[in-house]
Amino acid sequence: MILHGYWRSGTSYRTRIALNLKGLNYEQHGVDLRRGDQRSETYLRLNPQGLVPALEIDGAVLTQSPAILEWLEETHPAPPLLPSDPVARAQVRAMAALIGCDIHPLNNLRVGKALREGFGADQAAVDAWAARWITPGFTALEALVARHGDGWCFGDAPTLADCYLIPQIYSARRFHVALDAFPRLLAIETAADAHPAFQAAHPDRQPDAD
């Protein structure tokens, strides 16, 4: 498997976590979003949308991290990242979607660039924009973890929800978002900091990191 991604991309980060949790070996090819590598002819042949990540597998290319993570769960079911109970599976997927649909897309690199170039936002304004979406999302997630978590987002082992959460906490810190109101989420971050799969996926440990 070849993972095309960017070291600081939240979607690439969550994909690395899932691959590591599954114990899978993969090569990494860096796509520098700041240089515009994602718009190169070579990369667009892999992913016409020009986004990361893209995962090459047996002559096929998978794009969009939710689809990649679901494929990983279907083809490499152990250890599971979704519970066996259908209701519990839906609850974990909802926690992941809370981040993947309602928080992350609003504070990724493309949006930050649009705010700066199209609306004259300085870094303080970009940080405030990110907090505007991260804070209410984390407030809801904190309540869901209180309801369902037992050391991780759902239960006592990492799930898809944790694959989404840890990169979003990393992003929140980059945008200087206050996190003191989310002790359960911070406790999960502490657990992830001690887990080899999460450690190996950290942006600072990637071959293309600054």
Side-chain angles (χ1 to χ4, degrees):
M1 284 187 276
I2 301 174
L3 177 64
H4 300 264
Y6 175 58
W7 64 283
R8 208 162 57 185
S9 151
T11 53
S12 300
Y13 190 176
R14 71 176 68 135
T15 304
R16 292 193 301 265
I17 293 170
L19 286 163
N20 294 346
L21 286 169
K22 297 291 187 181
L24 299 172
N25 295 319
Y26 56 98
E27 280 182 46
Q28 289 201 68
H29 289 188
V31 180
D32 194 325
L33 303 183
R34 296 164 301 182
R35 279 199 320 240
D37 290 358
Q38 71 276 21
R39 295 187 295 274
S40 71
E41 238 180 271
T42 302
Y43 188 70
L44 288 174
R45 279 197 295 271
L46 278 176
N47 182 0
Q49 195 178 11
L51 298 176
V52 293
L55 185 68
E56 289 190 73
I57 49 151
D58 300 324
V61 179
L62 304 180
T63 62
Q64 288 290 343
S65 62
I68 294 172
L69 269 58
E70 291 282 353
W71 174 83
L72 284 170
E73 185 69 0
E74 291 171 2
T75 57
H76 300 84
L81 298 181
L82 286 169
S84 57
D85 175 72
V87 172
R89 290 168 79 87
Q91 289 167 332
V92 169
R93 285 186 170 112
M95 295 168 93
L98 187 158
I99 296 167
C101 298
D102 297 332
I103 299 178
H104 173 263
L106 290 160
N107 54 79
N108 65 19
L109 185 63
R110 290 188 302 164
V111 171
K113 186 176 181 182
L115 290 171
R116 292 182 182 92
E117 295 179 358
F119 299 92
D122 59 11
Q123 189 58 49
V126 172
D127 289 353
W129 169 268
R132 176 177 180 174
W133 309 107
I134 293 172
T135 300
F138 275 9
T139 299
L141 193 60
E142 178 81 6
L144 291 171
V145 171
R147 188 179 302 171
H148 300 298
D150 183 16
W152 295 92
C153 283
F154 195 101
D156 60 0
T159 65
L160 284 184
D162 302 286
C163 296
Y164 280 75
L165 172 63
I166 296 304
Q168 193 60 60
I169 291 178
Y170 174 83
S171 179
R173 293 192 183 283
R174 286 184 54 227
F175 291 116
H176 308 103
V177 177
L179 299 175
D180 292 346
F182 313 116
R184 292 178 178 85
L185 304 189
L186 294 179
I188 295 168
E189 181 188 38
T190 298
D193 286 344
H195 194 297
F198 289 85
Q199 291 172 348
H202 193 279
D204 293 348
R205 299 191 177 192
Q206 304 318 303
D208 59 327
D210 287 348

